[in-house]
Amino acid sequence: MKIDEVSARVYTVPTDAPEADGTYAWDSTTMVLVRARSGDVVGTGWTYGPAACAAVVRDVLAQQVVGLDPRDVGRAFEAMIRQVRNAGRVGAMGYAISAVDIALWDLKARLLDSPLHRLLGAVRDEVPVYGSGGFTTYDEDRLRAQMVHWAHEQAIGRVKIKIGESWGTRVDRDLARMAQVRSIVGDEVELFVDANGAYGRKQAIRVMHDAADLDVRWFEEPVSSDDLAGLHEVRDAVRADVTAGEYGYDLYYFRRMCEADAVDCLQVDASRCGGITEWLRAAAVAASYGLEVSGHCGPHLHAHVAAATPNLRHLEWFHDHVRIESMFFDGALDPQGGTLTLGDAPGNGLTLRESDAEPFRVA
């Protein structure tokens, strides 16, 4: 039994409307999809990153993985990490490693005819999610429609919007949009906000002070995630849980964030940090500091490892990625009631709809 082939494809999908957060704007999302084959069995993984990730998979990583036993995912992971030493693990290298690792875990589970969460050692049958979108480009009607869909039609008990508009220069609109969402979802639904590092330290504290009557529960990246002292300062000053970690690429990053008492919940992104292999280790680092973890974006690539993580808080049901994953795969999950229930299909339970994905293929 061996890994016979590792390949990569690139798809770019336009957004269904202009989108922006506090520090960035976009009109499309690129998925780099990796297929790992052993005989007639194929495992699938992906990441959301630049097309260059596909070249890393083909030209740098595949040669390290092909020929290995597909059951030895840890060995493949270590081979990839060692291969990129001089190139650097962050950025496109880390995204590519993550996509390959996720594909290998899916392949292993399919070869063993096991649902991936069972192979990983499930600790729960359902994975809680929160609705995530609320882009700063949305007008009142579009924001209302999205919040009504999540909170009232799908009964998701947590929703998140983007704030920090225009690098924190539109605090008046930030507060107005937060108030609008609270009025739409009611008092029983938890309100989360994400500034994407747009604010300064004292500014972030003032914003939460001014929003005190809105009962914000989750304040994501109030300042840059690289400013650990700033995150700690905000965390000590506000009632909302302060969170960050989505840009972590290795265990040292996550350890530094935990050591600095910078967050109340550690975000981890399997499509960046090193896939499922490194996600599990990052979650263990967080647990050693008494912290829970939250899955950042890519809900279908996180769902199974989330079910096998004891200190999981929830998973982000991110609008863009939900839309793409639902377009591309049979077996997409349903967040009705605020949780995802995983089935008994082998691997991640997804089947790529080649004909639906092909029009968006760019490489």
Side-chain angles (χ1 to χ4, degrees):
M1 189 179 293
K2 64 184 179 67
I3 299 167
D4 296 307
E5 182 184 24
V6 174
S7 61
R9 304 175 185 177
V10 183
Y11 303 92
T12 295
V13 181
T15 58
D16 56 2
E19 296 178 356
D21 54 36
T23 58
Y24 188 71
W26 63 96
D27 59 12
S28 66
T29 300
T30 297
M31 169 196 274
V32 178
L33 185 138
V34 171
R35 311 299 295 276
R37 181 177 61 83
S38 178
D40 295 330
V41 180
V42 176
T44 302
W46 64 95
T47 187
Y48 294 100
C53 297
V56 174
V57 173
R58 290 192 301 265
D59 301 337
V60 180
L61 303 179
Q63 59 188 307
Q64 303 301 312
V65 172
V66 169
L68 297 181
D69 190 316
R71 294 167 295 187
D72 298 337
V73 180
R75 179 176 297 184
F77 178 82
E78 285 300 312
M80 291 190 289
I81 294 298
R82 292 172 182 173
Q83 181 64 19
V84 304
R85 188 200 70 176
N86 289 350
R89 182 172 167 181
V90 300
M93 294 292 173
Y95 283 64
I97 289 170
S98 300
V100 175
D101 182 83
I102 293 165
L104 292 177
W105 275 107
D106 184 40
L107 174 62
K108 178 177 179 177
R110 290 174 190 268
L111 287 167
L112 297 175
D113 196 29
S114 170
L116 181 53
H117 63 290
R118 302 290 183 206
L119 176 63
L120 294 169
V123 295
R124 60 178 55 80
D125 296 322
E126 297 182 333
V127 176
V129 299
Y130 66 89
S132 174
F135 304 108
T136 59
T137 44
Y138 281 4
D139 60 21
E140 290 186 8
D141 290 341
R142 193 171 189 94
L143 182 61
R144 176 178 296 277
Q146 189 176 68
M147 295 301 130
V148 167
H149 176 62
W150 285 332
H152 301 306
E153 296 172 3
Q154 293 190 313
I156 298 175
R158 315 158 197 86
V159 297
K160 187 176 82 179
I161 67 168
K162 301 292 191 179
I163 60 171
E165 184 175 350
S166 300
W167 285 93
T169 62
R170 293 294 311 277
V171 172
D172 55 341
R173 188 163 186 264
D174 292 340
L175 292 169
R177 293 173 65 251
M178 292 159 66
Q180 181 195 359
V181 172
R182 174 53 76 201
S183 70
I184 294 168
V185 303
D187 295 335
E188 300 305 314
V189 174
E190 295 183 32
L191 174 58
F192 295 1
V193 296
D194 182 0
N196 288 100
Y199 295 137
R201 299 180 185 185
K202 292 296 182 67
Q203 183 185 24
I205 295 168
R206 289 193 296 270
V207 168
M208 283 298 102
H209 175 79
D210 291 342
D213 60 333
L214 301 178
D215 190 23
V216 175
R217 298 293 182 87
W218 174 275
F219 195 6
E220 186 174 329
E221 288 192 330
V223 298
S224 169
S225 56
D226 293 326
D227 182 9
L228 299 182
L231 289 170
H232 177 79
E233 182 176 338
V234 176
R235 181 190 179 202
D236 277 355
V238 303
R239 292 181 59 197
D241 280 357
V242 168
T243 71
E246 66 189 67
Y247 298 111
Y249 288 93
D250 58 35
L251 295 186
Y252 301 106
Y253 178 102
F254 297 115
R255 188 182 71 184
R256 287 192 296 269
M257 188 164 278
C258 293
E259 284 179 338
D261 287 332
V263 295
D264 295 292
C265 181
L266 184 69
Q267 290 182 286
V268 188
D269 188 330
S271 76
R272 296 172 177 170
C273 74
I276 289 171
T277 298
E278 197 76 333
W279 160 285
L280 291 168
R281 301 205 300 172
V285 169
S288 73
Y289 286 87
L291 295 176
E292 294 176 315
V293 296
S294 177
H296 174 260
C297 289
H300 289 88
L301 66 81
H302 282 99
H304 286 264
V305 69
T309 302
N311 57 320
L312 177 83
R313 182 176 297 192
H314 42 47
L315 175 57
E316 183 171 15
W317 190 251
F318 181 59
H319 172 72
D320 285 1
H321 297 172
V322 168
R323 178 170 168 262
I324 293 171
E325 291 163 11
S326 298
M327 289 167 58
F328 281 18
F329 297 110
D330 284 329
L333 299 168
D334 182 358
Q336 189 68 36
T339 60
L340 306 178
T341 301
L342 304 177
D344 293 323
N348 59 25
L350 303 174
T351 303
L352 180 67
R353 295 199 298 268
E354 304 256 5
S355 60
D356 290 345
E358 190 60 29
F360 302 100
R361 187 172 175 181
V362 296

